[in-house]
Amino acid sequence: MATLDQRLNAFVKLGEFLRNFTKTSLANSGSADESNEWQIRFDNAINLAGHKNGWFTKQQVMFAINAWAEQLTEKTLNSWLKNYSLTTNKHKTVAVIMAGNIPLVGFHDFVAALLSGNSVLAKCSSSDNILLPFIANYLIHIEPELANEIAFSEGRLKKFDVVIATGSNNTARYFAHYFGNKPNIIRKNRNSIAILTGEETKEQLNGLGEDIFRYYGLGCRNVSKLFVPQDYSFDNFYDSISTYQNLMDQNKYANNYDYNKAVYLMSEFQFLDNGFFLLKEDMGYASPIGTAFYKRYSTIEELKIKLAEDRDQIQCIVGNDIIENSIPFGKTQKPDLWDYADGIDTVEFLLKT
């Protein structure tokens, strides 16, 4: 069994590999270092992931890789883990069922399970089953003892002690039925919101574009709804996000935008349009691709009450510190290791189970 030090060292070396890979790719206009076998294999895996899932363009996958490269340093990992009593952990096999909406979306659960001293039994989504197995193979290459700690399953999960499962509201019911007799974390649909006051700078609104459009809006940390004052004009917002108009070069995004626009027109819904992004006033939180919902508020205090009532539907809140623990504009897709999905401390859960 790999020791805690061996596990930590493996992830530190993985971070070094990812940082070298991103630097080399940038220097070579997106290509791997041909003198490094593992870089070539990773480049091939990224290309294959993009062929299997049209949303996983190289630009989007590289963003995810770079975000993890920044987190997997010895300093950051130690800062994250120093407040946990890892030596008291009772070794378990943690089944991790992963969504496939954005690249490496389940990697945090994978890391948390291994660095808390457990084994991982991972079930990848068919939409994202290339990148994580490659990374697992690289970790085993660095630290062979991890070969007994990492497994993947394509069929029904067997021989596990704890479950962490992420999916839709529908699949969450399925998970609850099948895994209700095991300690579990079952995550449902959540969306992120932004609160605007009209005082935002052009730079902040452009950053909000990153929160909306990164991964084409497919993640739970993507902003899908805007709360704005009663007299808010979207002119500055649309002007500030104009730099994202090249999204229409991606066929899947463009097709979704065109489809949703056609639906709104045929349904005679009122909406705003800048040629690549739609805004529709709507009570919901989960907006379609190429669209954000918005709702006007009367007072911040009333809005706070509303958001408190809907907290189980919300992942992140973006804004200028209007709400406690809000996230600055442009930062939703670069969470720290201690920014847990749904606010549930995964490591603490695994240690106490």
Side-chain angles (χ1 to χ4, degrees):
M1 183 185 300
T3 67
L4 292 173
D5 285 343
Q6 286 174 314
R7 294 163 188 256
L8 180 63
N9 184 60
F11 278 101
V12 170
K13 289 186 176 179
L14 172 62
E16 293 173 358
F17 169 75
L18 296 180
R19 286 189 292 278
N20 289 334
F21 180 81
T22 55
K23 289 177 183 176
T24 301
S25 295
L26 288 172
N28 295 334
S29 300
S31 301
D33 181 355
E34 295 184 359
S35 66
N36 187 310
E37 176 190 354
W38 279 95
Q39 284 202 11
I40 295 172
R41 290 170 62 181
F42 198 21
D43 198 47
N44 290 337
I46 292 169
N47 290 331
L48 178 58
H51 289 310
K52 290 195 67 175
N53 185 339
W55 293 112
F56 286 16
T57 63
K58 192 156 191 177
Q59 179 188 30
Q60 302 294 349
V61 174
M62 289 300 297
F63 181 91
I65 291 169
N66 187 63
W68 275 107
E70 293 177 359
Q71 293 296 316
L72 296 180
T73 67
E74 185 172 11
K75 180 179 179 181
T76 303
L77 287 167
N78 281 324
S79 295
W80 175 37
L81 299 172
K82 67 181 180 182
N83 295 320
Y84 300 102
S85 299
L86 300 179
T87 56
T88 64
N89 179 62
K90 181 181 178 182
H91 184 272
K92 300 171 287 293
T93 297
V94 182
V96 179
I97 302 173
M98 303 179 180
N101 49 327
I102 67 174
L104 293 172
V105 68
F107 190 50
H108 190 280
D109 294 330
F110 179 90
V111 176
L114 285 175
L115 288 182
S116 58
N118 299 297
S119 297
V120 174
L121 175 60
K123 186 175 180 63
C124 295
S125 165
S126 59
S127 300
D128 184 19
N129 60 1
I130 304 297
L131 301 174
L132 184 59
F134 172 88
I135 287 176
N137 286 333
Y138 186 78
L139 285 168
I140 293 168
H141 165 70
I142 295 168
E143 180 46 70
E145 289 290 329
L146 287 175
N148 297 320
E149 308 291 343
I150 301 172
F152 289 86
S153 174
E154 294 184 0
R156 186 170 182 175
L157 295 170
K158 299 177 181 179
K159 296 181 180 180
F160 57 90
D161 304 299
V162 183
V163 180
I164 302 174
T166 304
S168 67
N169 289 342
N170 287 331
T171 57
R173 287 192 288 270
Y174 168 88
F175 294 151
H177 174 72
Y178 280 93
F179 304 126
N181 63 335
K182 299 279 188 179
N184 62 69
I185 295 174
I186 296 176
R187 304 194 186 104
K188 304 177 183 179
N189 285 347
R190 288 200 182 216
N191 297 92
S192 296
I193 67 166
I195 302 173
L196 304 181
T197 65
E199 301 296 323
E200 292 77 22
T201 66
K202 184 173 183 177
E203 290 73 22
Q204 287 175 324
L205 292 175
N206 185 259
L208 177 57
E210 173 71 12
D211 299 323
I212 294 171
F213 297 123
R214 176 59 59 187
Y215 306 126
Y216 304 106
L218 291 165
C220 65
R221 298 183 69 89
N222 285 105
V223 169
S224 59
K225 182 161 186 174
L226 309 177
F227 286 91
V228 300
Q230 292 288 347
D231 58 350
Y232 188 83
S233 168
F234 284 97
D235 291 345
N236 288 337
F237 169 79
Y238 268 138
D239 180 59
S240 299
I241 67 168
S242 62
T243 54
Y244 295 92
Q245 59 188 321
N246 60 357
L247 284 163
M248 293 297 284
D249 295 337
Q250 216 280 6
N251 287 335
K252 290 177 73 68
Y253 179 89
N255 290 340
N256 275 269
Y257 163 83
D258 289 338
Y259 172 81
N260 290 316
K261 182 175 179 178
V263 169
Y264 292 162
L265 286 169
M266 289 188 294
S267 302
E268 298 185 352
F269 291 144
Q270 297 294 313
F271 64 93
L272 303 175
D273 181 18
N274 70 344
F276 70 90
F277 187 60
L278 308 171
L279 287 169
K280 177 179 179 288
E281 188 163 12
D282 197 290
M283 292 293 292
Y285 285 96
S287 60
I289 294 168
T291 306
F293 292 154
Y294 71 90
K295 190 66 180 173
R296 299 184 185 275
Y297 62 85
S298 298
T299 68
I300 291 295
E301 291 308 313
E302 288 182 4
L303 178 57
K304 286 181 178 180
I305 294 172
K306 166 68 174 173
L307 298 181
E309 293 172 349
D310 296 345
R311 59 186 177 276
D312 290 343
Q313 300 180 58
I314 299 170
Q315 190 67 261
C316 304
I317 299 177
V318 177
N320 284 327
D321 295 324
I322 297 172
I323 302 290
E324 186 178 1
N325 297 322
S326 60
I327 297 173
F329 293 100
K331 301 298 183 183
T332 60
Q333 297 301 338
K334 285 198 172 183
D336 290 313
L337 291 168
W338 42 87
D339 291 330
Y340 294 102
D342 298 2
I344 299 173
D345 188 325
T346 315
V347 177
E348 179 103 7
F349 165 78
L350 292 173
L351 293 177
K352 289 186 175 181
T353 300

